[in-house]
Amino acid sequence: MACIPLLAALGISLGGCNSAAPVSTGEPSFYRQLNAENAKVDPVAARDMISIYRRNKGLTAVSVDPQLQKEAEAQAQAMAHADKMSHDIRGPLMSRLDSAGYVHGAAVENVSAGYLTLAEAFSGWRDSPPHNKNLLEPRMRRMGIATAYAPGSKYRVYWALVMSD
């Protein structure tokens, strides 16, 4: 009986935390539609998806890197603004990383447009030999991923994934 007040207090405390939490739609973030203002890809879900894929191939996991995240965001935004999918819209990847002061040996980039969810983008990259090669590049340890929404574009959503050692 002495436990009941403690459990009741715990329930109230947990209930209070629960009501402050964001409302979940129950939809995994990798299925969330990204063709809307302020919609952004979940970099943690992307990291987990890519890391599981890499581990299943005997490779190391990747971590989200804040500098690579910024680079991916800038690349996705530049493509959306120009309404053009391009690796070189802001210059070659290595030049962009060097200009940002990012210390790297090797780096790869996947860009794409038109995928509306992380699951679609990942599947498209996995099924494309050059994109898949980047996902499975053994030296890669860090990543950044971003999307940019361009409502007037035929593609609507632009993607950039940057990975580095």
Side-chain angles (χ1 to χ4, degrees):
M1 289 306 239
C3 292
I4 291 175
L6 177 60
L7 290 174
L10 255 176
I12 292 168
S13 173
L14 291 175
C17 290
N18 215 5
S19 65
V23 177
S24 172
T25 62
E27 174 184 59
S29 64
F30 48 86
Y31 291 133
R32 189 174 308 128
Q33 296 279 317
L34 299 173
N35 58 332
E37 286 298 325
N38 301 319
K40 300 293 178 197
V41 65
D42 179 349
V44 173
R47 176 207 62 201
D48 292 348
M49 189 178 282
I50 292 167
S51 291
I52 290 167
Y53 182 56
R54 288 174 57 85
R55 282 189 194 124
N56 286 340
K57 302 288 185 179
L59 300 169
T60 59
V62 293
S63 62
V64 176
D65 180 278
Q67 282 183 284
L68 291 178
Q69 188 63 32
K70 286 179 186 175
E71 176 55 35
E73 289 168 3
Q75 185 68 8
Q77 287 295 330
M79 290 187 300
H81 181 72
D83 195 12
K84 180 180 179 185
M85 184 181 65
S86 170
H87 286 279
D88 296 324
I89 201 143
R90 297 174 42 248
L93 175 62
M94 294 305 188
S95 297
R96 287 184 270 135
L97 293 176
D98 292 342
S99 293
Y102 188 77
V103 179
H104 62 88
V108 297
E109 178 180 61
N110 285 353
V111 298
S112 57
Y115 297 120
L116 301 183
T117 68
L118 173 58
E120 289 174 4
F122 177 75
S123 292
W125 291 336
R126 190 188 58 214
D127 293 342
S128 162
H131 292 101
N132 191 52
K133 182 179 177 185
N134 288 344
L135 289 173
L136 298 177
E137 167 56 54
R139 296 172 289 177
M140 299 303 106
R141 300 287 184 271
R142 300 172 286 171
M143 62 159 277
I145 188 169
T147 57
Y149 177 55
S153 166
K154 75 176 184 176
Y155 295 115
R156 297 182 295 174
V157 181
Y158 288 84
W159 293 79
L161 168 69
V162 180
M163 299 173 72
S164 180
D165 55 355

